[in-house]
Amino acid sequence: MSSEKQVIKVLIVDDIPDTRENIRKLLAFEPDIEVVGGDGAGTGREAIDLATQHKPDVVLMDINMPDMDGITATKAISTAVRTAAVVIMSVQNESGYLRQAMLAGARDFLTKPVSSEELYATIRRVYDRNEPIRQQEVQMSSLRTAVSREAKRSALTPSVGAGHVIVVYSPQAGAGVTMLATNVAAALMRSDTSVLLVDANLQFGDVDAFLNVQSTSSIADLAKAVSDIDQEMIDSVLVTHGSGLKVLVAPPHPEMAYDITSEAVKEVVKLLAKSYDFIVVDTPTQYDDTTLKLFDIAERIILVANPTIPSVRNIRKVLDLLDGLKEPAGLSDKVLFVLNRVVPERERGRGAVPTASIETHLKHSVAAAIPLDDQAVLTAVNQGVPLVAKMKSRSPGKELVDLAALVRKTVEQEKAPEESPQTGEQRSKSGIRALFGGS
Ligand SMILES: Nc1ncnc2c1ncn2[C@@H]1O[C@H](COP(=O)(O)OP(=O)(O)OP(=O)(O)O)[C@@H](O)[C@H]1O
Ligand SMILES: [Mg+2]
């Protein structure tokens, strides 16, 4: 009975004003439909702004638009306004985009030119299908209000951390990024240092397997509600490893990565950084918008290579890319270059390149050389216990402990000279130069 008089709020998105106007006229006759957002949106960005502002129930979305295409906008809107059902409006020859649109969160599609009957039926259908999500949102928002009221009442002071973001990356698959991220995170932990390990390998993250932790929630749960994250939600999503290390695991299914924007990953990491002294981020091989955004907020980038020619060549490319990213110095200033799977000199002969040659070639010092040790690494993974917990004073645990100490030293060194607050980017410059003996 109560849903009888519900009005469906519709936002129209199309870069052609006449198309918007025609659809608006068609919808004007329907008493249960209300067009929101004035004349509608002419660009993807406008669509995101208007959707966030007006919280429409249905968004009619064009695909080709000047600044941001409809698929990217669909992804952003589906994440930001969960109750908005996006309907893609495409012309016949754009059908190839439909799969992408569906993966981005679109609920239905219409072929242009849109007939009035089809338009009304589609709007009502997607609106009805979204009823459970609206209900869930109502419950979630009352829960959030109750939680935030309670937090205010008990004058809950959020825990404050130094917020050093350390991103571990390699352009080469299997170089040892996850092994390094888990071990550096574990080795950074102390009674006076809180550490969070974030698995940002959104499709095939395996930090949970390395540490043998299970969780039904993941980074996907925080990414889809970035603006509403509160302490309660964080506590329910993070898992605690037996060592006390906090972990934010990757989504359980690869396709869930499509619903996570790079901006959301960045915001989640920035937000969590406020509560921890160190946030160590495991990343996938792709050099994409997500990795770039993470590099940008990182105070240190641990760049991982194996001592082989292809691996080192890829590192050269990444260093060049990082150098070109920010003026005047470039992001490569933040890099701690780590060689993993290093074989002792006398056992070399399997094509491994000497460390000194790599340093000369890259013009970058090796901050740590982690020995190859199949047995030790495999056992640690099988047991779900980081190497650094078991073999602090023996290779390869020793080198990993030293690397963590170096990470701590370089970020803490920079805090010392002046107490004025600085950004991660500002903080990163001088320390690395000092560490590697000049510019
Ligand atoms: N120093 C090492 N000695 C022996 N084995 C190692 C070493 N470092 C990593 N490994 C092993 O190599 C494999 C790949 O390591 P890891 O998963 O950490 O790499 P990755 O860069 O995260 O890979 P992916 O690209 O799949 O995310 C794992 O089986 C790991 O146990
Ligand atoms: Mg990995």
Side-chain angles (χ1 to χ4, degrees):
M1 195 171 83
S2 60
S3 62
E4 209 174 46
K5 280 282 165 207
Q6 294 267 358
V7 172
I8 308 175
K9 290 190 286 176
V10 177
L11 174 68
I12 307 167
V13 186
D14 199 301
D15 60 333
I16 301 168
D18 280 351
T19 310
R20 296 203 300 273
E21 184 54 22
N22 289 341
I23 297 176
R24 212 168 64 79
K25 279 184 186 148
L26 287 177
L27 297 179
F29 296 109
E30 299 306 292
D32 61 335
I33 296 175
E34 178 199 349
V35 173
V36 296
D39 295 336
T43 71
R45 281 187 210 289
E46 245 175 67
I48 298 171
D49 287 347
L50 289 176
T52 323
Q53 200 182 328
H54 295 279
K55 308 242 179 308
D57 300 303
V58 178
V59 180
L60 301 173
M61 178 75 79
D62 183 24
I63 289 191
N64 281 318
M65 287 179 293
D67 67 334
M68 178 196 282
D69 65 87
I71 290 166
T72 312
T74 298
K75 210 167 170 180
I77 292 173
S78 305
T79 311
V81 188
R82 273 187 10 105
T83 50
V86 179
V87 175
I88 295 286
M89 299 185 294
S90 69
V91 288
Q92 216 76 43
N93 64 7
E94 287 174 329
S95 58
Y97 291 117
L98 290 180
R99 201 182 114 76
Q100 281 180 47
M102 291 299 169
L103 286 171
R107 302 297 168 78
D108 215 327
F109 64 94
L110 287 162
T111 309
K112 288 192 211 173
V114 180
S115 80
S116 56
E117 287 317 312
E118 215 187 340
L119 178 65
Y120 305 149
T122 308
I123 290 177
R124 292 184 183 119
R125 187 170 58 240
V126 295
Y127 177 79
D128 286 345
R129 267 201 245 136
N130 244 14
E131 180 61 26
I133 294 180
R134 280 193 296 278
Q135 300 254 343
Q136 206 182 45
E137 257 322 275
V138 172
Q139 286 163 9
M140 285 286 283
S141 88
S142 62
L143 184 71
R144 281 195 292 266
T145 318
V147 169
S148 79
R149 215 184 289 127
E150 175 57 26
K152 274 188 199 128
R153 202 163 56 81
S154 57
L156 201 80
T157 8
S159 52
V160 178
H164 303 298
V165 176
I166 314 295
V167 172
V168 190
Y169 174 75
S170 177
Q172 178 205 341
V177 169
T178 307
M179 190 280 287
L180 275 152
T182 48
N183 279 289
V184 167
L188 281 168
M189 267 200 316
R190 280 192 329 209
S191 58
D192 63 348
T193 310
S194 56
V195 183
L196 169 68
L197 174 60
V198 174
D199 195 344
N201 188 346
L202 301 178
Q203 286 200 298
F204 299 106
D206 48 9
V207 162
D208 55 347
F210 268 70
L211 294 177
N212 193 18
V213 291
Q214 281 89 35
S215 174
T216 47
S217 340
S218 73
I219 190 168
D221 297 275
L222 296 183
K224 71 180 169 219
V226 173
S227 50
D228 294 321
I229 296 176
D230 52 36
Q231 195 56 47
E232 185 109 339
M233 199 187 278
I234 295 173
D235 292 343
S236 72
V237 171
L238 300 187
V239 275
T240 311
H241 180 253
S243 60
L245 177 68
K246 291 282 180 186
V247 184
L248 177 60
V249 302
H253 306 291
E255 69 275 15
M256 290 172 80
Y258 291 119
D259 293 329
I260 305 176
T261 63
S262 51
E263 191 60 28
V265 173
K266 175 178 144 185
E267 289 308 316
V268 166
V269 172
K270 272 172 68 180
L271 195 116
L272 293 171
K274 291 180 188 161
S275 311
Y276 290 86
D277 294 315
F278 284 95
I279 310 266
V280 180
V281 188
D282 183 6
T283 59
T285 315
Q286 294 101 277
Y287 186 89
D288 59 13
D289 200 38
T290 306
T291 19
L292 274 176
K293 287 204 163 80
L294 289 170
F295 288 165
D296 205 34
I297 58 169
E299 215 169 309
R300 288 288 173 272
I301 301 165
I302 297 182
L303 198 53
V304 188
N306 292 160
T308 64
I309 289 170
S311 185
V312 172
R313 276 189 55 188
N314 284 340
I315 293 291
R316 172 77 270 151
K317 290 177 193 165
V318 173
L319 286 172
D320 288 345
L321 283 165
L322 290 175
D323 262 332
L325 281 180
K326 279 225 168 142
E327 294 299 330
L331 291 186
S332 76
D333 240 9
K334 298 179 179 182
V335 167
L336 286 174
F337 175 51
V338 172
L339 273 180
N340 184 34
R341 290 209 184 82
V342 175
V343 189
E345 200 92 16
R346 60 184 182 284
E347 291 168 29
R348 212 172 280 133
R350 279 181 275 169
V353 186
T355 304
S357 314
I358 296 173
E359 287 180 317
T360 311
H361 174 71
L362 294 177
K363 297 190 192 73
H364 224 294
S365 308
V366 170
I370 317 296
L372 172 84
D373 190 335
D374 291 324
Q375 188 59 40
V377 175
L378 195 68
T379 311
V381 176
N382 285 343
Q383 294 175 346
V385 179
L387 273 170
V388 293
K390 302 193 304 176
M391 35 168 65
K392 281 191 177 53
S393 47
R394 210 159 27 100
S395 288
K398 183 164 105 23
E399 288 80 0
L400 291 160
V401 169
D402 290 347
L403 171 61
L406 180 68
V407 168
R408 181 189 291 276
K409 193 169 130 201
T410 66
V411 297
E412 288 184 348
Q413 231 170 23
E414 285 162 35
K415 259 195 333 204
E418 48 191 287
E419 280 311 311
S420 64
Q422 296 181 332
T423 64
E425 286 95 313
Q426 284 171 321
R427 275 199 299 244
S428 68
K429 309 280 169 183
S430 54
I432 284 282
R433 289 227 173 91
L435 179 74
F436 292 142
S439 51

